[in-house]
Amino acid sequence: MTAAPPIQLLPEADGLGRAARYLGQGGLVAFPTETVYGLGADARNDRAVARIYEAKGRPSFNPLIVHLADQPAAEALCHFSPAARRLAAAFWPGALTLVLPLVAQAGISPLVTAGLDTLAVRVPDHEVARALLRSFGGPIAAPSANPSGRISPTTAQHVVDGLGGRIDAVVDGGACPVGVESTIVDCSGAAPVLLRAGGIPVEAIEACLGQTLLLPDEATPDRPTAPGQLASHYAPLGRVRLNAEAARPGEVMLGFGNVDCTLNLSPSGDLLEAAAQLFGHLHRLDAMKAKQIAVSPIPDHGLGRAINDRLRRAAAPRD
Ligand code: TXA
Ligand code: MG
């Protein structure tokens, strides 16, 4: 973890170039958007994305929004429905996030989607965010740049107060003009669903689509709804046994630390590495058609809490 206070960068060519270099090296860079400051990392880098969860102290893996420079960049990652295209044309760049089916092999870290097959994307309407995205030239995963459970930051000073010592740099672009997070619309199913009210009024979205948005509880129940309430349908196919010291006959072992196992989250017992590997390994267990999965105990501190939260969901009884 970065112990020193974040380097404060100015939103000029030099500062943005440095910010882009930090991102390219797996660093964490907070930056302004029109809604709130985001805590950015390279969305393709498992370890960098794991660091986001660590810095925020998030006790669970909520999927993150990927920020892009323009719509074509988003279309390379997601499948756009006609409704999604209409919303993007009307509101991008802007405070609207679309949840869409993820393109296979898009190269996005599974930690960004928390293992889901949908991706949240947005093209921010802020000169500094856009310049950083252009300079970096890739997808930036960014939740709001506050410690988990705290208020979203709308100035660089808020970011420093909340996350100082845990991130590499912050680009200071002044106060965020909108000040509330983006509106999130899930366009991955048959009818668009409002997942979060935010910077773009719901009425404007409904007028654009010529239809009413469903609320999560009106949508199909097997889809992820509100944050933190992700359905268990993306749990691995096999049955999961937690806190296992060793595999029993017929079990595939998902290890942590120096243990005999088929797949290891981190042979050295590094929670950051384990978080970065978690969803990839769960997908691998599915690909192996593992029917019974034993999982090593994971220390319940730092990122271990988020890993255990996810594993408990994976082990929970299913309908
Ligand atoms: O305005 C914003 O949206 C800010 C700025 C930085 O862009 N970002 C932001 O991110 O508010 P965050 O992580 O604080 O909130 C993202 C929300 C989470 O609550 C998450 O549950 C939801 O988006 N989300 C992300 N991907 C999703 C997906 N595939 N399906 C359903 N919900 C998703
Ligand atoms: Mg947030």
Side-chain angles (χ1 to χ4, degrees), residues 36 56 58 143-147 149-153 181 196:
V36 300
K56 284 182 66 86
R58 265 200 184 180
S144 50
N146 51 286
R150 302 269 297 282
I151 301 161
S152 291
E181 290 92 342
R196 179 174 77 185

Side-chain angles (χ1 to χ4, degrees), residues 129-150:
R130 305 198 65 181
L132 178 61
L133 283 159
R134 280 195 301 271
S135 175
F136 178 55
I140 300 180
S144 50
N146 51 286
S148 182
R150 302 269 297 282

Side-chain angles (χ1 to χ4, degrees), residues 150-169:
R150 302 269 297 282
I151 301 161
S152 291
T154 53
T155 66
Q157 192 58 47
H158 292 162
V159 177
V160 175
D161 292 345
L163 295 176
R166 304 189 195 181
I167 65 176
D168 297 297

Side-chain angles (χ1 to χ4, degrees), residues 115-117 221-224 230-237 286 310 318:
L116 296 170
D117 54 9
D222 62 334
R223 280 209 283 159
L230 298 167
S232 69
H233 75 273
Y234 63 92
L237 300 169
D286 274 357
R310 179 65 188 77
R318 299 169 211 163

